[in-house]
Amino acid sequence: MKQPIRNIAILAHVDAGKTTLSERILFAAGEIHRPGRVEDGLATMDYMPEEKERGITIESGVAHFEWKNTWFNFIDTPGHVDFGAEVDMALTAVEGAVLVVSAASGVETQTLASFRKLRESRVRTILFVNKLDNPDYSLDETLINIEETLGVRPVLMSVPQFKNGKMCAMLDVLSQSRLVHSESGAEVLDDGWESDAGAAEERALLKKYYDEAVEFASNFDDEILSLALDNKPVPPKMLLRGLKALAASDEYVICYAGSALEGFGIRSLVTALSFFLPEVPTFGENELGQVVRLRHFRGVGEISLFRSHVDLLRRDWPAGFEFSRLKANMLLPVDEIRSGDIYAMVSPFETELGQVIYLDGCGMCGESAGRDAAGTSLRAEGKAISNAVGSAAPNGNAAPSISENYLPLLQTRVECVRTDDYAHVERCLSVLARMDPSFRVQKDDGGFWYLHTVGEVQLDVLLARLKREFGCEVRAGSPEVRWQERLCRAVGPAENTFQIGPHKMSISISASPLEGDAHDIRLSAEFMEKAPLEILAGVRSALLESTEVGVLGKGPLVGVRFEVHRFDWTEGALPPMIKKCCADAVAKLVKPADVQLYEPVMELSLECPVNFAGLVTGDIQAREGKVKEIEGDGKTHFLKADVPLRKIFGYATGVRSISKGTALYSMKLLGYRPATV
């Protein structure tokens, strides 16, 4: 019988203890001899220098472990909002996830965002309430907060116990047992539990939560319901069956509790992963596997994180392919690959995110299909154009990619320190853009580039990686807000003619704004159904590049429908000529007076001690922020505010100074509003 495989991800808001939990899981499984601390820069999963320095996860770390004869591939994802694309990519390769909720802060912005992603991706989720080693943090209050905020009923399956204000044991509801620490720090069954003075009280507590689990599971299992109605005991195996069905529902979620830092609650959680997660799905025939992540190793070059779709021995691998286990930043060669398992792959050609590789070694493009180098999507209206831009969803619209979920909010000008390095830097920027779909590069004719990033942290990390991993010396300007431009009115038609030698082409084009908040670019050109693909590709590329630069140069032109009324060309016209003709036509068509600037607005969520509430609120208002929610419990002040992104640069330093380092905050994009500057 083949060993079962489960692929899992760990998600959380930043600083909820996600990486600490990852370390403890690896320690409990015997993969590491001592759990590393994030604060000391010793976490196994945070291997990048930037991760050690900042104490946050940036790249999804991968490790493997074995538990109860189940093989786990284990992905520790970033919690910082700048690296949300890393989370999205990880979710394409997993069957289940652990969502960590800090008892100190409850459900936070990224916790909610991660839970929604998990639900949308249909990834089975188990909650872990962390940081309960502090007796001031309430498990009951956290469970209520989870139910109110996430909209699901948590079914608690482990309960922490305290002695003299310190966590001393865990009660496991399903096995009706008590777990304590051994001399090595591992969790073990407490054999002397029955003789303890508090055993009767703990037994009663376990019975209470076991009965609750039976009540919830009875909604999904008729046999459990029958026994419960007759007041007969439900055996653990039967309860487990009902809880498996419960875990697959949208109304409930299995929940464990403990402290990752102190190593309590880990054993019960990992056992639950082997119980409640679904099996690896069945994959298509003739598929070798799919690329789920791109990484760069100095001295090795580019590798792909690859999910195998087939069982295959080394002798049957396609020519030029090599597979290894990836453990943090270590590559360990293997002699066979198994269906559903995750490996590091070196291939004879450049791979793309989402690309499916077939058994003959050929690949079909995934993530990058249907978008230009800058990552902009173009939605086509008309049969011929739809065929030209790539695959479409069943409703006729282009299938969305991860990159389309992340709008770059900042742009930074970067240039080479040495002119001779230009080609090398351009190559390396292209590699980084392929590795991270939320990062985009725009080349300028002046010999420099604009880096488009989600936030400042992502920008800092990319510049550091350019120097450390690729040896690129670049000079970067200050980041600027990436605005959006929208048409105020319909314009055109405008006509343009372009000729080089015997080749002549002319175009008539108009443009109109899309309704609502749509930010895609649409093209209507019904009469071009019989045009050659190179003509369509040239038109498409020109429109995407023109809108990406914008009219005022402060950001992309979005939410536009272009209509090509006429396009004439001579035989043998090359795509660059077509692009030039179309780009000049767009420049004639849309003038600065035809566009309105929109600026990004962030939703700021902040908490701080009450004695700093006035100073923090005053600083937000000075930044043109509008406070919309205020709460407090007498000790801590909570608020939410809408703040223009252009006013929030350097906020981490400012709020740290005002609050003497006690304030915690997070931000997310709320939307765009007409600019007033």
Side-chain angles (χ1 to χ4, degrees), residues 99-407:
L99 181 59
V100 184
V101 179
S102 168
S105 309
V107 175
E108 299 175 87
T109 327
Q110 282 303 105
T111 319
L112 181 58
S114 296
F115 185 74
R116 287 173 177 167
K117 286 180 182 180
L118 291 166
R119 281 295 193 249
E120 290 168 3
S121 304
R122 309 303 301 172
V123 173
R124 188 79 54 84
T125 306
I126 294 175
L127 296 186
F128 183 77
V129 179
N130 193 24
K131 300 191 178 183
L132 288 169
D133 50 297
N134 188 328
D136 291 335
Y137 301 152
S138 169
L139 173 58
D140 290 338
E141 288 182 9
T142 306
L143 294 175
I144 292 170
N145 178 239
I146 287 170
E147 186 169 0
E148 290 177 346
T149 310
L150 300 184
V152 290
R153 182 71 181 267
V155 182
L156 189 63
M157 300 304 294
S158 64
V159 188
Q161 295 297 289
F162 297 87
K163 186 176 182 180
N164 299 325
K166 289 188 176 181
M167 191 179 291
C168 62
M170 290 297 302
L171 302 180
D172 186 271
V173 174
L174 189 60
S175 64
Q176 296 282 282
S177 59
R178 187 177 193 261
L179 300 170
V180 295
H181 276 176
S182 66
E183 291 182 1
S184 66
E187 285 184 288
V188 296
L189 290 173
D190 185 1
D191 295 329
W193 181 30
E194 296 298 336
S195 60
D196 284 357
E201 185 178 336
E202 290 175 345
R203 282 279 183 197
L205 188 62
L206 272 176
K207 184 179 185 305
K208 169 193 169 186
Y209 284 107
Y210 192 93
D211 291 345
E212 280 189 5
V214 167
E215 180 185 345
F216 296 139
S218 67
N219 294 318
F220 301 89
D221 190 295
D222 291 342
E223 192 173 355
I224 294 176
L225 178 61
S226 177
L227 290 175
L229 291 174
D230 293 338
N231 289 320
K232 294 180 179 179
V234 176
K237 283 189 176 180
M238 187 183 295
L239 175 58
L240 177 60
R241 186 183 68 201
L243 290 175
K244 285 181 179 179
L246 176 147
S249 73
D250 291 331
E251 296 82 20
Y252 297 88
V253 63
I254 301 293
C255 182
Y256 285 79
S259 168
L261 185 62
E262 297 297 329
F264 281 106
I266 311 303
R267 177 168 169 169
S268 298
L269 173 65
V270 181
T271 302
L273 294 174
S274 60
F275 285 157
F276 297 118
L277 299 189
E279 296 180 357
V280 171
T282 303
F283 301 104
E285 293 184 6
N286 301 320
E287 292 179 358
L288 181 66
Q290 186 173 26
V291 176
V292 297
R293 182 77 179 84
L294 297 176
R295 292 266 292 272
H296 185 273
F297 276 65
R298 196 163 191 173
V300 178
E302 186 176 305
I303 67 166
S304 308
L305 278 188
F306 174 85
R307 191 183 197 191
S308 175
H309 290 182
V310 69
D311 297 330
L312 215 59
L313 295 173
R314 173 181 284 274
R315 65 171 180 265
D316 299 320
W317 295 352
F321 284 79
E322 284 293 328
F323 298 94
S324 306
R325 287 280 182 209
L326 180 63
K327 185 175 180 180
N329 63 338
M330 295 183 291
L331 293 173
L332 309 173
V334 298
D335 291 321
E336 66 172 322
I337 57 175
R338 298 177 54 209
S339 180
D341 215 340
I342 295 177
Y343 302 90
M345 178 184 74
V346 177
S347 63
F349 53 83
E350 202 174 68
T351 59
E352 301 286 347
L353 284 172
Q355 184 175 19
V356 175
I357 311 293
Y358 292 94
L359 288 173
D360 60 3
C362 296
M364 180 181 72
C365 286
E367 167 67 23
S368 65
R371 63 186 179 99
D372 71 330
T376 309
S377 65
L378 183 144
R379 179 174 298 174
E381 298 175 348
K383 178 180 177 182
I385 304 299
S386 295
N387 292 337
V389 299
S391 60
N395 60 4
N397 295 334
S401 64
I402 292 175
S403 62
E404 293 175 13
N405 294 329
Y406 294 90
L407 296 175

Side-chain angles (χ1 to χ4, degrees), residues 411-431:
Q411 60 183 18
T412 308
R413 175 173 160 162
V414 169
E415 60 186 6
C416 294
V417 173
R418 296 182 297 271
T419 308
D420 294 343
D421 292 344
Y422 183 86
H424 175 59
V425 173
E426 185 167 49
R427 236 180 355 258
C428 297
L429 285 173
S430 175
V431 170

Side-chain angles (χ1 to χ4, degrees), residues 469-577:
E469 292 182 26
F470 300 93
C472 295
E473 294 287 342
V474 298
R475 188 183 297 111
S478 299
E480 300 176 348
V481 173
R482 187 164 160 78
W483 307 61
Q484 282 189 352
E485 300 176 2
R486 289 183 177 272
L487 282 177
C488 304
R489 61 189 74 84
V491 291
E495 298 191 359
N496 185 59
T497 301
F498 180 76
Q499 182 171 1
I500 292 182
H503 299 297
K504 180 180 179 182
M505 55 216 72
S506 62
I507 186 172
S508 174
I509 188 171
S510 61
S512 59
L514 297 176
E515 295 181 0
D517 296 329
H519 62 269
D520 54 333
I521 307 299
R522 303 184 187 180
L523 173 60
S524 176
E526 294 288 347
F527 76 97
M528 292 178 66
E529 289 188 6
K530 296 181 181 180
L533 286 179
E534 60 268 21
I535 300 294
L536 302 179
V539 173
R540 170 188 177 276
S541 181
L543 293 178
L544 289 174
E545 290 181 14
S546 297
T547 54
E548 185 67 23
V549 174
V551 180
L552 303 176
K554 288 182 173 291
L557 178 65
V558 301
V560 182
R561 176 186 286 105
F562 287 102
E563 183 173 0
V564 178
H565 304 284
R566 176 180 54 80
F567 191 81
D568 301 318
W569 68 93
T570 56
E571 196 72 28
L574 299 175
M577 302 177 190

